[in-house]
Amino acid sequence: MSERHLDPGRGGGRDSGAGRGAGVAGFFARVRAMMVKEFIQLMRDRVTFATMIMIPLLQLILFGFAINTTPRNLPTAVFSHENTDLSRAVLAALKNTAFFSYVREVHSADEAEHLIRSGEVLFFVEIPAGFERDVRRGDKPQILVAADATDPIGSANALAALAGVINTALAHDRFVDAPGENAFQIVQHRRYNPAGTSQLNIVPGLLGTILTMTMLIFTALSVTREIERGTMESLLAMPIHPVEIMLGKILPYVSVGILQAFLIVAAGMLLFGVPLEGSVLLLVAATLLFIVVNLSIGYTFSTLAQNQLQAVQMSFMFFLPSILLSGFMFPFSGMPLWARVLGEGLPLTHYLRMVRGVMLKGATFPDLQVDAAALVALMLVAMTVAVARFRQTLD
Amino acid sequence: MSVATTDPAPPAPAAPSALGEVAIDVEGLSKSFGGRVVVNDLSMRVMRGQIYGFLGPNGSGKTTTIRMLCGLLTPDSGTGTCLGYDILTQAREIRRYVGYMTQRFSLYQDLSVRENLEFVARLYGVPHPEQAAQAELERLGLKGRGHQLAGELSGGWKQRLALGACILPGPELLLLDEPTAGVDPKARREFWAQIHELAAGGLTVLVSTHYMDEAERCHEIAYIAYGHLLAQGTVQQVIAQSGLSTWTVDTVGLTGREAGLAVAGLSRVLTENVGVDMVAPFGTSLHISGRDAEALEAAIAPYRTDPRYVWRKEAPTLEDVFIDLMSRSRDEMR
Ligand SMILES: Nc1ncnc2c1ncn2[C@@H]1O[C@H](COP(=O)(O)OP(=O)(O)O)[C@@H](O)[C@H]1O
Ligand SMILES: [Mg+2]
């Protein structure tokens, strides 16, 4: 026991100690020390870790149910401009199918508008004047369908089903030779959700919102937790810079974020057939950037908050507008100016554009660079505030 | 408060201050929280290789002072150096060469013993951190507990681990804040043996405590109460400076309960006398102290002829001195 401290450099030897831990190597050593520590703590906190993996899976499963549930009994109103065999056949078909629940026939567009606005009906089918005549002539007349698309999945499926229902009715009554041969056109008019957000759009959106929520919470708790557990006092007494603490606390969670993103994208592609039109590499790069931005913002909250509860509240205050103003819930272009200005300041807005671009439209880097730059800017702002606000003393 | 005789201190070896170098040198440190002065105009100097005891009752400002020394708190006023680095501007350098053991265990409870040590080793840039942590584990006698979570250790083992983590990076100064609070006597003795060994190796140690017997294991001590540093020097110096006279009274021919009653009765009457500043019972004897030796003798004179008591004039104990210092400074505050 008494042999220790005899290693040279201990005690009086200032010189041997001064070189150690200095420079770039020291910087990486300290960030690494912090990362290893955070990673072990993360893995040891089974409940949190499991929650963070379960949230995306749970969301996807719930979402999967929503998609797979065939909508039934959607309340529907019909406005027919003529009373012919054909219009009656269409009406009968609508009444007979389980998709729609026929509410009533209306006699003016205003009346129909009122019903759909009040939510009494979700669908409104308008059969034009001269419909039967035009079908017989082969003129392909238009049936107007207005749908309350605030429930986009339900309305999208019902709209798709509508054509089939009418076609079958026509074939059955021998107005046309075979089902599927289009004797008419359906003109769709989506109300309240003109973007027609479908599952294709929602999977990328879900990816963005889940990442926002989990990444924020991870780091929002990290500094306040050290303070509340009393470990901050030791940490601050050690030769580590606030930047090193921040990086060491952010980086381990990038791997969790990537794991979550992988789960969501994989499930989206396998279960819902979401395409990946663009480059995988670009998607990964955009997602990495987005994860780091959210971790930085969460960390900033952590340096501002007095305790863990406050940190969680701040994250929530950030999360809500992210959902509402990013274009996830409502189409971005349809929002008022003030909302769009606020939205531009939210990382989710930029990420949604990027990820929808890459996955659905095959966007390439030049298409995304503005949003990527915006994310980098947001990240730098958050990190600067965090480092500036980090309290290096216990004062 | 523990009594010195329960755990006799090994004679403190002379401080190796031959170097004459100063490890801590601070002047006029003050700190208040919310308008309440917690440390008031505190100056002290600690030589290298010394074991410096920092004594005082709870809430007297020991922790606050230690935090100012290692840059964790910014003093409201005052200046000073720690290992030659300015405590106001060079906190980063100080942190590299100072090991600070906090009053409350502040390593990671959800990390194992080994992981905590490796974390510290990496953070200080110790070469081969895994090996360094392993060596420290063996030295601490924690080899079999390396995988155990720090939060599951008992108080004594936590204290060992915390000290080990402080020593691992090879500091030049240790600041130990009540390291032995709540630790059993055997562990305390081992701890002090280790501190002396470290000091012999050239390390400077400042240790706060409120155990009197531990004060006697230090080369020098400082006593702080209500934020004021009231005395400093070697134990002998502090006792001599106190100007306190102390008499010990024993009972003759009485046993058990009778002796106790006699002592209690004497204690009651003496306390009311002018010249008697402090009366403290120790079993069946009494310690009677006064700042004015003559007034004290006059006060006890009537009782010295009582055949039931034997009177002896003795040097005051450190505890007598500290309690007197504390009550005096409390009187001054009012
Ligand atoms: N951060 C703080 N804020 C407010 N009061 C504090 C703070 N730290 C210590 N104090 C107060 O200062 C006094 C001295 O505390 P401390 O230095 O911990 O004493 P000791 O370590 O000697 O027990 C106590 O009354 C304590 O309540
Ligand atoms: Mg204290």
Side-chain angles (χ1 to χ4, degrees):
Chain A
M1 202 187 195
S2 55
E3 271 98 317
R4 73 168 324 279
H5 325 300
L6 295 183
D7 27 330
R10 194 182 282 278
R14 174 77 54 90
D15 295 342
S16 63
R20 180 218 282 176
V24 181
F27 172 84
F28 284 116
R30 288 185 292 270
V31 172
R32 175 163 173 246
M34 206 64 203
M35 278 176 66
V36 171
K37 183 217 97 175
E38 288 287 327
F39 203 77
I40 297 171
Q41 288 185 308
L42 168 66
M43 299 311 273
R44 210 147 276 166
D45 188 357
R46 293 267 162 77
V47 177
T48 306
F49 189 71
T51 312
M52 292 306 159
I53 298 304
M54 285 309 291
I55 284 176
L57 288 179
L58 216 78
Q59 292 254 23
L60 278 165
I61 289 165
L62 289 177
F63 186 65
F65 272 121
I67 284 184
N68 293 332
T69 307
T70 316
R72 281 180 193 283
N73 304 324
L74 300 173
T76 306
V78 177
F79 177 20
S80 183
H81 290 270
E82 64 175 26
N83 191 355
T84 58
D85 286 349
L86 186 49
S87 74
R88 280 192 298 275
V90 170
L91 259 172
L94 280 173
K95 283 178 186 167
N96 287 337
T97 171
F99 273 119
F100 304 97
S101 143
Y102 175 72
V103 175
R104 68 166 103 149
E105 196 169 345
V106 295
H107 300 288
S108 76
D110 284 349
E111 199 181 346
E113 191 65 30
H114 170 74
L115 285 177
I116 204 163
R117 199 175 285 160
S118 65
E120 225 170 301
V121 301
L122 290 178
F123 272 90
F124 162 52
V125 179
E126 186 173 351
I127 299 170
F131 180 62
E132 184 176 326
R133 181 195 65 219
D134 290 349
V135 169
R136 289 195 191 286
R137 277 199 211 147
D139 278 353
K140 299 203 173 190
Q142 295 184 335
I143 292 183
L144 179 73
V145 181
D148 176 347
T150 43
D151 170 16
I153 303 143
S155 61
N157 281 2
L159 279 173
L162 186 64
V165 169
I166 297 177
N167 255 332
T168 314
L170 298 191
H172 188 259
D173 291 334
R174 302 193 195 286
F175 288 106
V176 292
D177 299 334
E181 187 191 316
N182 280 334
F184 57 94
Q185 297 170 30
I186 291 184
V187 177
Q188 300 179 358
H189 187 187
R190 288 194 175 93
R191 300 291 172 87
Y192 311 124
N193 187 2
T197 309
S198 69
Q199 59 266 51
L200 300 192
N201 264 333
I202 280 176
V203 168
L206 210 60
L207 175 61
T209 44
I210 291 174
L211 284 178
T212 302
M213 184 168 68
T214 53
M215 295 297 102
L216 273 181
I217 290 289
F218 266 137
T219 43
L221 296 179
S222 67
V223 172
T224 42
R225 187 170 44 217
E226 298 247 8
I227 292 172
E228 279 177 29
R229 292 187 185 172
T231 51
M232 195 47 118
E233 191 174 1
S234 264
L235 187 61
L236 288 180
M238 295 182 194
I240 184 164
H241 191 273
V243 172
E244 294 157 357
I245 295 179
M246 177 177 73
L247 293 179
K249 278 182 171 294
I250 285 180
L251 294 175
Y253 295 110
V254 174
S255 55
V256 183
I258 285 293
L259 182 62
Q260 284 188 339
F262 175 79
L263 285 175
I264 298 166
V265 172
M269 291 172 74
L270 294 176
L271 297 179
F272 311 132
V274 175
L276 178 44
E277 302 286 349
S279 117
V280 180
L281 217 66
L282 205 54
L283 179 65
V284 171
T287 305
L288 266 177
L289 180 58
F290 179 65
I291 288 171
V292 175
V293 174
N294 280 303
L295 290 171
S296 313
I297 292 172
Y299 187 78
T300 307
F301 291 159
S302 193
T303 59
L304 298 174
Q306 302 290 330
N307 52 49
Q308 300 205 28
L309 182 64
Q310 273 188 18
V312 172
Q313 286 168 338
M314 286 187 197
S315 310
F316 203 67
M317 292 295 285
F318 185 80
F319 182 61
L320 271 183
S322 288
I323 287 190
L324 297 176
L325 304 182
S326 62
F328 171 68
M329 206 84 125
F330 311 110
F332 196 79
S333 50
M335 299 193 309
L337 182 65
W338 64 267
R340 273 178 291 158
V341 170
L342 280 180
E344 292 291 344
L346 298 167
L348 186 56
T349 308
H350 301 283
Y351 181 64
L352 282 185
R353 284 184 203 145
M354 291 169 86
V355 77
R356 282 177 180 160
V358 174
M359 289 188 80
L360 309 180
K361 301 176 201 159
T364 54
F365 182 69
D367 305 321
L368 307 180
Q369 53 190 356
V370 174
D371 289 308
L375 284 186
V376 171
L378 286 171
M379 176 185 78
L380 292 179
V381 169
M383 286 185 164
T384 309
V385 173
V387 171
R389 283 301 314 230
F390 186 84
R391 290 179 290 273
Q392 273 183 282
T393 65
L394 301 169
D395 285 291
Chain B
M1 218 168 263
S2 145
V3 180
T5 49
T6 56
D7 193 6
S17 54
L19 293 163
E21 256 191 278
V22 180
I24 301 174
D25 191 3
V26 291
E27 277 282 323
L29 288 189
S30 296
K31 181 80 188 173
S32 8
F33 291 112
R36 200 165 66 87
V37 180
V38 166
V39 174
N40 194 342
D41 194 22
L42 182 140
S43 303
M44 67 176 178
R45 175 180 279 220
V46 178
M47 308 306 274
R48 278 196 191 245
Q50 249 185 356
I51 300 175
Y52 196 87
F54 201 38
L55 284 99
N58 283 331
S60 54
K62 300 185 295 292
T63 301
T64 306
T65 306
I66 292 176
R67 285 175 175 168
M68 286 194 280
L69 290 178
C70 60
L72 281 180
L73 284 176
T74 322
D76 297 338
S77 61
T79 54
T81 59
C82 213
L83 299 170
Y85 297 112
D86 192 314
I87 60 166
L88 297 175
T89 57
Q90 292 179 296
R92 202 162 153 71
E93 283 79 2
I94 291 176
R95 284 166 196 190
R96 186 168 297 143
Y97 300 106
V98 170
Y100 170 39
M101 179 171 164
T102 54
Q103 182 169 353
R104 203 183 124 199
F105 184 74
S106 60
L107 292 174
Y108 296 98
Q109 313 244 12
D110 51 349
L111 253 55
S112 72
V113 172
R114 182 191 304 280
E115 288 157 354
N116 267 301
L117 291 172
E118 286 179 356
F119 171 67
V120 171
R122 285 196 192 101
L123 217 133
Y124 281 84
V126 174
H128 312 296
E130 285 85 5
Q131 279 130 280
Q134 176 64 28
E136 191 65 35
L137 271 179
E138 286 169 21
R139 197 190 66 75
L140 290 169
L142 278 166
K143 206 165 139 190
R145 296 172 188 259
H147 59 278
Q148 201 171 333
L149 294 187
E152 290 168 0
L153 294 175
S154 69
W157 286 108
K158 271 186 182 156
Q159 174 247 38
R160 273 191 194 214
L161 170 61
L163 181 64
C166 284
I167 297 171
L168 176 63
E172 294 176 28
L173 168 66
L174 285 181
L175 302 174
L176 311 177
D177 195 359
E178 299 198 20
T180 55
V183 169
D184 67 66
K186 182 166 168 287
R188 276 173 60 198
R189 186 181 283 214
E190 284 168 7
F191 171 83
W192 276 96
Q194 198 180 356
I195 295 297
H196 274 274
E197 208 181 289
L198 289 165
L203 207 64
T204 312
V205 183
L206 182 141
V207 48
S208 84
T209 176
H210 52 238
Y211 292 115
M212 287 302 142
D213 59 314
E214 294 192 341
E216 282 159 22
R217 294 165 184 250
C218 300
H219 300 132
E220 270 193 44
I221 56 170
Y223 186 75
I224 178 174
Y226 308 106
H228 294 261
L229 200 146
L230 299 175
Q232 68 180 318
T234 62
V235 172
Q236 289 74 20
Q237 283 168 347
V238 169
I239 291 176
Q241 284 161 14
S242 72
L244 209 61
S245 339
T246 300
W247 288 80
T248 306
V249 192
D250 276 302
T251 52
V252 194
L254 299 174
T255 48
R257 192 169 146 73
E258 284 180 346
L261 285 172
V263 164
L266 184 61
S267 168
R268 250 194 317 276
V269 290
L270 278 176
T271 318
E272 283 149 24
N273 277 287
V274 180
V276 175
D277 293 308
M278 204 166 39
V279 179
F282 283 88
T284 56
S285 58
L286 277 183
H287 271 210
I288 299 147
S289 310
R291 285 161 215 153
D292 184 336
E294 281 174 24
L296 179 63
E297 281 196 39
I300 63 173
Y303 309 98
R304 288 184 66 183
T305 53
D306 192 323
R308 287 179 297 166
Y309 305 118
V310 182
W311 293 79
R312 261 177 299 128
K313 190 168 183 358
E314 274 184 334
T317 64
L318 203 53
E319 189 171 302
D320 293 330
V321 172
F322 285 164
I323 290 171
D324 178 55
L325 283 171
M326 201 168 104
S327 55
R328 244 193 279 184
S329 76
R330 191 173 47 211
D331 295 344
E332 280 164 24
M333 298 258 165
R334 283 184 183 147

